[in-house]
């Protein structure tokens, strides 16, 4: 056995990595040329990291400070190589970065795939494509790398056919950085071609701020007797920081590709905002709204924040200080001319200039969303469906901007009668009839439960619009918001029904009614004394016999349910029961002289009011038993 062979070690891929690799190969085949974008993106990140670490330790540059990427190919050998003189990797890093997937939630993500190529390819896009996309076009990949600052004999060759395992061996690598060598599949030989590669680089990677070099193309054979000139390297991309260019010069496609580079997303963004700020503070920002939520949006630990540059030098990823949590879906960069190159996360946290930048960036994002809503409502709804629930955290986190954020909210409404959340508060207010001074809403588990809620009856009868809120966060959201544009929010299942001045024609006869039915109300109260705090007559209902209402200061029923589900202690405020004295069942109850039957019927009416409001019965079998007793009597 040669010494080389004895030094070669074989490692198995982590299960998730192996699955991801296979999925990548199958799902992204129709988009195969993106492998180059992904590898160039990694090379550019590696150069950014070196430039940053080199600020503190210039020896890492090894007297070769000109960072660049070089693309080469060999048509005869059917290979393409992507080289960078960036940070490089140690052996341990190669094994971990190229053999495992460290993102938490990966196995859940893999479980959510359907096997359908089209939808899976979108999902994989959300996950981030990356290095493994090499195997879409290659049946063997070699990675030769050496960490900056280490000796030439510290090089590593990683090699794999993208199946179960990869090998690792020590090599000599005088030049720091990484070269990825793709041994193309036979049918992918089109990529071992200068024009094809240039075209793909121009299309996807033109915005990379490092020079991407290739050997000059020579066409035709030299004249007889002439030497074939040695081709030299030429830069094939624009190679300036995209955000530093003037907006008018940048094509939409360039903005889109830059977005994919920084976000590792696969789809184009919905919109972006690119701004240069000069004056007291001097910085450029380029902020994007993605079209799709990442798979780990609800993971609080998931990476978020902007990429921070100082004078075009990359400083850090995930600089969280520039945006609040409720805007964590925003991707982008900020490039400051004021900050020092050795700025750290700790310094960012304390710097008052960062607060001003953050305030300005928040405003930019909210303005950008407002503009999208106005100019392109269809795409705005896409945004809302993906990220609305995150934006709803806004009023609690950022009180100062709550009105501005609320303007962006969209809800389902009785106005449209369907479950699409597409109606704004401004639209609601514009439709309010004279005399209405509140924004009416109901919270329910589902749209259906909300729109069929008994409390809705009087609103339907009078044609008053009600928002139907069925996201879990909504009850809490409204409690944070409390009012909008000077109008307060009114839960239709809370407190006394107050229709403001809309209802002039109908006089309030509740006092009289409560007097007329005094003994019925007292008797029902006695029967349900442990379950309701009060029994009164209602003018909310037209079709249902009864409904439940929470007191003005009590916790909403939706919120109670959420807290219960989260295992938290819920204040035990019994609801108020309101009876529709026009309803035949309540009239029957009023006429009932048999105490047992009265109690059964009163309990059934109460339980049904709970059910109609989506509340789980505490003792469902007693309910069924009582109801069956009554049914049996009917059939006697
Ligand atoms: P991602 O880039 O989304 O993190 P990849 O699968 O593309 O995922 O790469 C995994 C990791 O491998 C990178 O995060 C980086 O640490 C390392 N890596 C990949 N390519 C290079 C490179 N050219 N130079 C240095 N490190 C690299």
């Amino acid at each position: 056995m040669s010494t080389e062979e004895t030094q070669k070690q074989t490692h198995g891929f982590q299960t998730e990595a192996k699955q991801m690799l296979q999925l990548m190969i199958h799902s992204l085949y129709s988009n195969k040329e993106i492998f180059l974008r992904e590898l160039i993106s990694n090379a550019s990140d590696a150069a950014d990291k070196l430039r940053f670490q080199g600020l503190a330790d210039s020896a890492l540059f090894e007297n070769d400070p000109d960072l660049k990427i070089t693309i080469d190919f060999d048509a005869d050998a059917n290979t393409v190589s992507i080289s960078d003189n960036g940070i490089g990797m140690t052996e341990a890093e190669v094994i971990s970065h190229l053999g495992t997937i460290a993102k938490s939630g990966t196995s859940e993500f893999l479980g959510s795939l359907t096997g359908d190529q089209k939808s899976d390819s979108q999902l994989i896009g959300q996950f981030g494509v990356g290095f493994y996309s090499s195997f879409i076009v290659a049946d063997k990949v070699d990675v030769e790398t050496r960490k900056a600052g280490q000796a030439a004999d510290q090089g590593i060759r990683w090699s794999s056919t993208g199946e179960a395992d990869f090998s690792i061996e020590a090599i000599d690598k005088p030049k720091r950085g990484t070269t990825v060598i793709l041994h193309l599949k036979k049918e992918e030989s089109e990529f071992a071609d200068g024009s094809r590669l240039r075209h793909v680089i121009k299309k996807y990677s033109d915005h990379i701020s490092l020079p991407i070099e290739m050997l000059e193309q020579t066409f035709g054979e030299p004249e007889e007797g002439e030497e074939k000139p040695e081709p030299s390297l030429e830069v094939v991309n624009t190679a300036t920081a995209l955000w530093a260019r003037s907006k008018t010069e940048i094509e939409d496609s360039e903005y889109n590709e830059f977005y994919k580079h920084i976000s590792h997303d696969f789809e184009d963004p919905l919109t972006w905002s690119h701004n240069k700020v000069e004056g007291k503070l001097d910085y450029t920002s380029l902020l994007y709204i993605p079209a799709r939520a990442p798979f780990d949006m609800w993971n609080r630990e998931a990476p978020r924040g902007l990429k921070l540059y100082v004078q075009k030098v990359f400083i850090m990823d995930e600089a969280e200080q520039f945006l609040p949590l409720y805007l964590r879906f925003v991707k982008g960069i900020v490039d400051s001319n004021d900050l020092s190159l050795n700025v750290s996360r700790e310094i960012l946290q304390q710097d008052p200039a960062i607060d001003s930048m953050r305030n300005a960036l928040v405003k930019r994002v909210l303005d950008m969303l407002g503009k999208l809503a106005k100019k392109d409502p269809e795409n705005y709804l896409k945004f809302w469906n993906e990220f609305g629930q995150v934006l709803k955290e806004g009023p609690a986190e950022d009180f100062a901007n709550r009105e501005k954020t609320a303007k962006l909210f969209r809800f389902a409404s009785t106005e449209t009668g369907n479950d699409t959340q597409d109606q704004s508060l401004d639209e609601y207010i514009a439709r309010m009839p004279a005399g209405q001074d509140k924004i009416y809403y109901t919270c329910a588990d589902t749209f259906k439960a909300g729109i069929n809620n008994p409390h809705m009856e009087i609103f339907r009868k009078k044609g008053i619009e009600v928002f139907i809120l069925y996201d879990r966060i909504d009850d809490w959201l409204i409690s944070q918001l409390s009012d909008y544009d000077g109008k307060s929010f009114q839960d239709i299942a809370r407190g006394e029904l107050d229709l403001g001045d809309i209802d002039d024609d109908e006089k309030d006869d509740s006092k009289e009614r409560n007097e007329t039915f005094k003994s019925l109300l007292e008797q029902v109260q006695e029967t349900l004394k442990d379950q309701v705090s009060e029994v009164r007559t209602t003018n909310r209902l037209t079709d249902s016999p009864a409904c439940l209402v929470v007191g003005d200061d009590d916790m909403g029923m939706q919120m109670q349910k959420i807290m219960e589900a989260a295992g938290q202690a819920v204040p035990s405020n019994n609801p108020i029961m309101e009876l529709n004295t026009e309803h035949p069942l309540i009239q029957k109850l009023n006429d009932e002289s048999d105490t047992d039957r009265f109690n059964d019927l009163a309990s059934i009416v109460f339980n049904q009011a709970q059910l109609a409001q989506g509340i789980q019965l505490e003792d469902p079998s007693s309910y069924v038993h009582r109801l069956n007793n009554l049914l049996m009597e009917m059939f006697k």
Side-chain angles (χ1 to χ4, degrees):
M1 220 183 263
S2 75
T3 41
E4 200 176 285
E5 274 174 278
T6 49
Q7 283 173 350
K8 209 171 189 169
Q9 311 161 12
T10 303
H11 297 256
F13 282 109
Q14 173 205 31
T15 316
E16 284 92 341
K18 202 165 74 192
Q19 283 174 301
M20 189 59 79
L21 213 151
Q22 291 304 322
L23 273 162
M24 199 80 76
I25 299 170
H26 293 123
S27 309
L28 296 181
Y29 190 72
S30 54
N31 244 315
K32 54 191 175 185
E33 61 191 22
I34 56 121
F35 77 90
L36 193 57
R37 169 184 86 191
E38 298 298 315
L39 296 178
I40 290 176
S41 186
N42 281 349
S44 159
D45 288 347
D48 277 348
K49 282 181 201 159
L50 175 63
R51 186 153 34 204
F52 176 63
Q53 292 184 24
L55 293 172
D57 180 4
S58 61
L60 293 179
F61 287 115
E62 302 175 12
N63 298 320
D64 170 23
D66 296 328
L67 298 172
K68 60 180 186 178
I69 299 169
T70 312
I71 314 283
D72 203 358
F73 65 93
D74 179 338
D76 296 331
N78 203 23
T79 57
V80 174
S81 67
I82 297 92
S83 306
D84 64 70
N85 56 354
I87 190 75
M89 285 178 271
T90 62
E91 178 177 352
E93 284 168 343
V94 172
I95 293 173
S96 130
H97 295 335
L98 307 185
T100 61
I101 296 175
K103 296 183 199 177
S104 67
T106 304
S107 35
E108 290 85 343
F109 167 78
L110 285 162
S112 71
L113 298 180
T114 58
D116 170 60
Q117 185 172 330
K118 195 152 172 256
S119 59
D120 285 355
S121 74
Q122 281 187 340
L123 283 166
I124 287 185
Q126 266 172 282
F127 190 86
V129 180
F131 170 75
Y132 291 146
S133 62
S134 328
F135 289 100
I136 308 173
V137 295
D139 48 21
K140 178 167 178 269
V141 178
D142 296 327
V143 178
E144 297 178 353
T145 186
R146 191 216 358 120
K147 187 94 177 178
Q150 295 199 342
D153 65 359
Q154 294 295 303
I156 298 292
R157 179 183 294 125
W158 177 102
S159 183
S160 177
T161 55
E163 282 151 2
D165 47 33
F166 57 88
S167 67
I168 292 281
E169 66 190 307
I171 55 167
D172 270 346
K173 192 171 184 305
K175 285 193 176 163
R176 68 154 193 270
T178 303
T179 298
V180 177
I181 304 149
L182 306 175
H183 300 268
L184 297 174
K185 295 176 185 170
K186 243 198 226 98
E187 62 276 21
E188 307 300 346
S189 57
E190 62 180 285
F191 290 108
D193 175 85
S195 305
R196 181 80 171 100
L197 289 169
R198 278 176 165 76
H199 176 77
V200 179
I201 295 169
K202 241 355 212 185
K203 183 165 166 194
Y204 295 113
S205 307
D206 194 52
H207 60 80
I208 294 286
S209 54
L210 291 181
I212 302 174
E213 295 187 342
M214 288 185 72
L215 284 177
E216 265 175 348
Q217 283 178 300
T218 50
F219 296 99
E221 286 301 308
E223 297 280 317
E224 254 194 53
E226 276 185 28
E227 286 255 322
K228 196 172 180 175
E230 269 302 303
S232 54
L233 285 166
E234 64 176 358
V235 176
V236 297
N237 64 332
T238 305
T240 53
L242 176 112
W243 63 89
R245 290 162 53 195
S246 145
K247 275 202 255 194
T248 49
E249 277 176 18
I250 308 174
E251 306 269 344
D252 286 1
S253 60
E254 295 179 274
Y255 277 119
N256 284 337
E257 289 311 324
F258 182 70
Y259 164 76
K260 291 176 190 169
H261 165 58
I262 56 164
S263 66
H264 299 261
D265 193 351
F266 193 69
E267 273 182 65
D268 288 343
L270 283 180
T271 185
W272 57 84
S273 170
H274 179 190
N275 296 94
K276 208 170 163 53
V277 177
E278 279 163 336
K280 237 171 93 196
L281 292 168
D282 185 350
Y283 66 91
T284 301
S285 63
L286 173 52
L287 307 171
Y288 289 95
I289 305 296
R292 200 178 283 272
F295 78 106
D296 53 0
M297 189 168 69
W298 298 105
N299 175 0
R300 293 248 147 192
E301 310 295 308
R304 63 185 184 89
L306 303 178
K307 251 182 189 310
L308 173 65
Y309 291 78
V310 171
Q311 295 158 33
K312 292 195 225 161
V313 176
F314 168 77
I315 304 294
M316 65 178 84
D317 275 313
E318 298 151 29
E320 297 175 355
Q321 292 75 6
F322 292 97
L323 286 174
L325 207 56
Y326 75 99
L327 299 179
R328 61 182 175 273
F329 49 82
V330 174
K331 303 277 182 206
I333 65 103
V334 47
D335 184 356
S336 158
N337 279 330
D338 308 312
L339 292 170
S340 125
L341 280 165
N342 59 13
V343 65
S344 65
R345 282 182 201 274
E346 291 67 38
I347 294 176
L348 286 181
Q349 263 156 15
Q350 292 150 11
D351 189 337
I354 304 299
D355 285 341
S356 328
M357 280 172 79
R358 177 183 161 116
N359 289 340
L361 292 171
V362 167
K363 203 171 159 299
R364 283 242 185 275
V365 174
L366 298 179
D367 286 346
M368 162 164 57
L369 289 171
K371 219 187 251 168
L372 182 69
K374 212 165 173 184
K375 289 205 173 142
D376 188 355
E378 205 176 305
N379 268 331
Y380 184 74
L381 284 190
K382 271 195 200 158
F383 157 77
W384 182 250
N385 286 333
E386 292 291 317
F387 301 109
Q389 300 210 33
V390 180
L391 197 67
K392 283 178 184 173
E393 296 171 13
E397 192 184 353
D398 182 1
F399 190 76
N401 282 309
R402 74 189 216 288
E403 191 95 3
K404 223 173 159 141
T405 316
K407 211 180 192 45
L408 297 166
F409 292 168
R410 296 292 181 270
F411 300 112
S413 163
T414 51
E415 174 72 14
T416 58
N418 63 52
D419 63 356
T420 313
Q421 300 183 357
D422 59 357
Q423 299 298 305
S424 70
L425 289 163
D426 288 334
E427 286 167 318
Y428 183 104
I429 290 172
R431 287 192 288 259
M432 271 165 54
Q436 182 177 346
D437 57 356
K438 293 194 168 87
I439 299 166
Y440 292 104
Y441 72 94
T442 186
C443 285
D445 286 341
T446 62
F447 173 77
K448 266 218 166 106
I451 199 155
N452 294 325
N453 190 328
H455 296 95
M456 206 63 100
E457 291 171 9
I458 184 72
F459 289 88
R460 198 173 296 127
K461 182 172 154 199
K462 299 205 174 290
I464 302 170
E465 181 173 0
V466 179
F467 272 152
I468 296 157
L469 312 186
Y470 59 93
D471 278 344
R472 284 174 73 91
I473 190 176
D474 286 339
D475 209 353
W476 174 79
L477 164 73
I478 300 291
S479 69
Q480 300 297 324
L481 210 51
S482 83
D483 59 54
Y484 176 79
D485 194 17
K487 317 270 183 300
S488 61
F489 287 90
Q490 176 64 50
D491 180 352
I492 63 168
R494 179 186 287 280
E496 299 271 1
L497 179 69
D498 171 14
L499 295 180
D501 296 331
I502 327 169
D503 200 25
D504 274 347
D505 50 329
E506 209 147 307
K507 70 176 185 25
D508 182 9
D509 55 357
S510 55
K511 260 210 184 92
E512 260 167 66
R513 251 190 292 117
N514 283 340
E515 208 42 55
T516 317
F517 290 92
K518 191 158 181 258
S519 89
L520 169 73
L521 299 177
E522 280 171 1
Q523 217 181 328
V524 174
Q525 168 82 65
E526 179 54 29
T527 309
L528 301 172
K529 61 175 178 295
D530 298 331
Q531 289 157 293
V532 300
S533 63
E534 185 189 339
V535 183
R536 62 192 183 206
T537 65
T538 194
N539 51 3
R540 290 177 211 262
L541 302 177
T542 57
D543 303 325
S544 302
C547 67
L548 302 177
V549 179
V550 291
D552 276 323
D553 302 318
D554 290 344
M555 183 182 278
M557 289 184 211
Q558 193 68 8
M559 190 86 122
Q560 285 183 26
K561 271 192 276 177
I562 291 171
M563 290 187 64
E564 264 165 16
Q568 295 188 27
V570 178
S572 56
N573 294 317
N574 285 334
I576 299 160
M577 174 144 109
E578 292 192 353
L579 300 181
N580 174 6
T581 49
E582 309 271 297
H583 196 281
L585 254 185
I586 301 302
Q587 289 172 351
K588 268 254 172 329
L589 189 68
N590 197 28
D591 298 340
E592 184 57 66
S593 50
D594 179 305
T595 314
D596 287 344
R597 282 169 50 125
F598 181 94
N599 290 347
D600 276 354
L601 191 54
S603 293
I604 287 172
V605 168
F606 171 67
N607 287 154
Q608 286 185 338
Q610 288 182 302
L611 288 173
Q613 278 164 243
I615 297 166
Q616 249 184 346
L617 301 187
E618 210 170 285
D619 182 1
S621 62
S622 293
Y623 166 73
V624 171
H625 189 71
R626 285 198 190 99
L627 190 62
N628 285 349
N629 280 349
L630 279 185
L631 288 175
M632 308 270 267
E633 275 193 35
M634 261 177 62
F635 296 126
K636 249 187 205 160

